[in-house]
Amino acid sequence: MVVEGDAFVLVDADHGSAFDAGRSQVHRAVHALLTRAFPGPPDRAVTVYVFSTHPAYVAFSKQRFGIDPEPHKPGDRPLYGYYQRPSREILMDGTTGWGTLTHEIVHPFIQRWFGGDGADRAAPEWLDEGIASLFEQPIYDPRDGSIHGETDWRYTQLRDAIESPELGPQVHLESLFDMSDDAFDSRRDATAQGLHYGMARFVCQWLDGQGKLWALFDDWRRAAASGDDASGLTSFTRTVGWTPADADAAWLAYVRHLRPGWTGAAAHL
């Protein structure tokens, strides 16, 4: 057992070879998140179970939470890892790559700093998942140690949706601000869920590329805590200089012209 960032308790769940790599991932990501993104760590412990074998991960997930991480129908993606908000536990399959782990450790930070440290989600799900998804393929800027997200597998799905006669009309930045948490997650519709995650992720990547992601997060969380701007519309407009509707064309152009990689001077993990 190892503690990282004064909050993340890492457990070598099946005493395997993946634990050291998982610990390294958490150490680097937490340090980067504390450098530029969040004012401090989660204020209560988060247990991170790192599994080195897939069968051990699946068995533990079923036994502890009654969750089968395997896909159940066409279009479903397996759960490579997940965060259980009420009990503050992360399960990670160390055989699948570490982007999921970076994604999941972001959630406890947002859970604290957006004012929802209990089981309920205070931040809109699209913002919570958009920021977390941004770091599924993390890269680090050697100039200041900050963490960013490289264009990843979600891009192809989003780009194809933009060009689709059926899905294209749904792809607009401002639609995220009108979307309920249930509609965003769309667990019964894998296509809609993937589209929403892609939209949220690349809105966050667009904002991060302008140096405005964390300014928006900080402004929005303060405004929401005071009861002034639960929707985030005012905070977005104040931070970005456009309303979400006015920013839509610029964001869509950004997405259409994206290339793999990140434009900053960053080092890969």
Side-chain angles (χ1 to χ4, degrees):
M1 186 174 69
V2 176
V3 178
E4 293 287 351
D6 296 327
F8 294 90
V9 181
L10 276 68
V11 176
D12 187 356
D14 55 353
H15 308 290
S17 59
F19 182 73
D20 286 344
R23 176 186 179 183
S24 175
Q25 178 85 347
V26 172
H27 176 83
R28 190 172 189 186
V30 168
H31 175 76
L33 290 167
L34 290 172
T35 296
R36 291 291 301 274
F38 297 102
D43 56 357
R44 290 191 287 130
V46 178
T47 304
V48 183
Y49 297 95
V50 179
F51 293 87
S52 298
T53 63
H54 181 69
Y57 164 71
V58 171
F60 187 88
S61 177
K62 290 179 178 178
Q63 182 273 325
R64 188 160 186 84
F65 298 117
I67 294 174
D68 183 355
E70 303 283 19
H72 297 111
K73 61 181 185 295
D76 282 356
R77 293 180 59 86
L79 286 174
Y80 299 134
Y82 59 91
Y83 176 48
Q84 284 294 92
R85 199 170 290 267
S87 62
R88 304 177 67 80
E89 294 172 282
I90 293 172
L91 273 62
M92 178 65 208
D93 182 351
T95 69
T96 61
W98 296 108
T100 298
L101 182 55
T102 312
H103 173 127
E104 300 303 338
I105 66 173
V106 171
H107 290 313
F109 279 99
I110 295 177
Q111 188 176 3
R112 175 185 182 185
W113 291 108
F114 216 92
D117 197 45
D120 294 332
R121 185 191 301 268
E125 187 158 359
W126 79 260
L127 181 67
D128 193 354
E129 294 295 349
I131 293 175
S133 296
L134 179 61
F135 303 127
E136 289 169 342
Q137 192 161 330
I139 49 178
Y140 300 86
D141 192 327
R143 297 168 298 186
D144 58 9
S146 57
I147 186 171
H148 304 273
E150 187 174 46
T151 300
D152 70 350
W153 60 273
R154 295 188 190 275
Y155 173 66
T156 300
Q157 186 174 18
L158 178 60
R159 182 197 60 204
D160 292 347
I162 290 173
E163 305 305 329
S164 162
E166 178 185 358
L167 297 176
Q170 302 176 38
V171 185
H172 293 289
L173 190 160
E174 70 268 26
S175 68
L176 290 169
F177 289 84
D178 299 327
M179 197 176 294
S180 69
D181 288 352
D182 287 343
F184 175 85
D185 202 27
S186 302
R187 292 191 181 277
R188 289 172 293 182
D189 186 339
T191 299
Q193 184 188 57
L195 173 60
H196 297 159
Y197 269 69
M199 290 168 59
R201 187 202 187 278
F202 285 96
V203 167
C204 289
Q205 184 169 315
W206 177 66
L207 291 168
D208 188 44
Q210 301 175 70
K212 294 178 178 178
L213 175 62
W214 299 115
L216 171 61
F217 180 84
D218 193 52
D219 190 289
W220 190 349
R221 73 181 181 87
R222 292 177 188 277
S226 65
D228 293 337
D229 187 26
S231 71
L233 289 170
T234 300
S235 294
F236 183 93
T237 303
R238 185 161 49 224
T239 303
V240 178
W242 289 333
T243 67
D246 289 340
D248 186 58
W251 174 68
L252 284 169
Y254 165 82
V255 173
R256 286 190 172 101
H257 294 93
L258 264 177
R259 295 291 182 271
W262 181 66
T263 55
H268 287 264
L269 179 66

